[in-house]
Amino acid sequence: MRSLPIPTAIASTSFASYVAPCDLLRVENVSNIFKHQIANTQFMEPLSNERCAACHANSTRVTAYEIVQLKPQVPDWHLIEKNGVPQIERTYEFPDFKSAIAFTNSVGEIAETEGHHPALLTEWGKVTVTWWTHTISGLHRNDFIMAAKTDAIANQFST
């Protein structure tokens, strides 16, 4: 597993095609103008309010441009790559195992409701959640929606 930088844009970068792991590594610097354009032209509904769309093998993966737009809504999530598949991952900390397992069960319930399921690693005092879309072997908007929903669940557990 390796961490990937947040995709960013440079003038010569095309965002029309799928972002492969190597593309995520290549696209490293975003100009202040580009950041400003995204901030000022794109109003987004909070991801946690969205519902997951059904995915099929021909569903579209998110582009670098879309990741730049979506990532600010899930700032504590890390872009990673496992076995050549881009994923997003976050580890949450809890005071004990009972809290960690309750959080895991809550994430499992929302995953079942949305029909989109993460990899969950529950340990004493922490839970690691990893989202990616299996059918497309990569990241889809659904993964960012579910990351936001996972953050909302975690906020209910904070003291």
Side-chain angles (χ1 to χ4, degrees):
M1 173 183 78
R2 62 183 171 143
S3 292
L4 299 175
I6 297 170
T8 54
I10 54 177
S12 63
T13 304
S14 168
F15 295 101
S17 62
Y18 165 65
V19 178
C22 60
D23 294 331
L24 291 175
L25 294 173
R26 267 192 303 231
V27 187
E28 295 193 10
N29 295 312
V30 65
S31 70
N32 288 330
I33 294 170
F34 184 74
K35 283 182 186 177
H36 182 72
Q37 286 174 339
I38 289 173
N40 289 329
T41 61
Q42 187 67 32
F43 175 78
M44 279 192 187
E45 181 75 21
L47 286 171
S48 59
N49 291 347
E50 293 186 34
R51 298 289 313 258
C52 288
C55 278
H56 307 284
N58 61 349
S59 294
T60 306
R61 298 172 179 143
V62 290
T63 63
Y65 180 81
E66 290 168 320
I67 292 171
V68 169
Q69 291 179 307
L70 298 169
K71 183 70 172 74
Q73 290 197 49
V74 289
D76 298 322
W77 288 78
H78 302 284
L79 292 166
I80 62 166
E81 179 186 60
K82 290 183 184 174
N83 301 318
V85 178
Q87 303 172 9
I88 54 175
E89 183 172 86
R90 180 172 179 192
T91 299
Y92 298 90
E93 294 187 7
F94 299 93
D96 52 36
F97 186 75
K98 185 176 181 179
S99 299
I101 200 72
F103 171 76
T104 299
N105 289 334
S106 294
V107 172
E109 287 175 24
I110 194 70
E112 196 62 22
T113 298
E114 291 290 336
H116 191 49
H117 304 89
L120 296 163
L121 174 60
T122 305
E123 303 175 78
W124 192 99
K126 67 180 180 177
V127 177
T128 302
V129 183
T130 310
W131 291 102
W132 77 100
T133 302
H134 300 77
T135 56
I136 61 172
S137 296
L139 291 170
H140 185 273
R141 183 178 186 87
N142 288 348
D143 301 306
F144 290 88
I145 291 169
M146 293 307 291
K149 290 180 182 289
T150 305
D151 283 346
I153 292 167
N155 289 338
Q156 297 171 5
F157 281 84
S158 61
T159 55

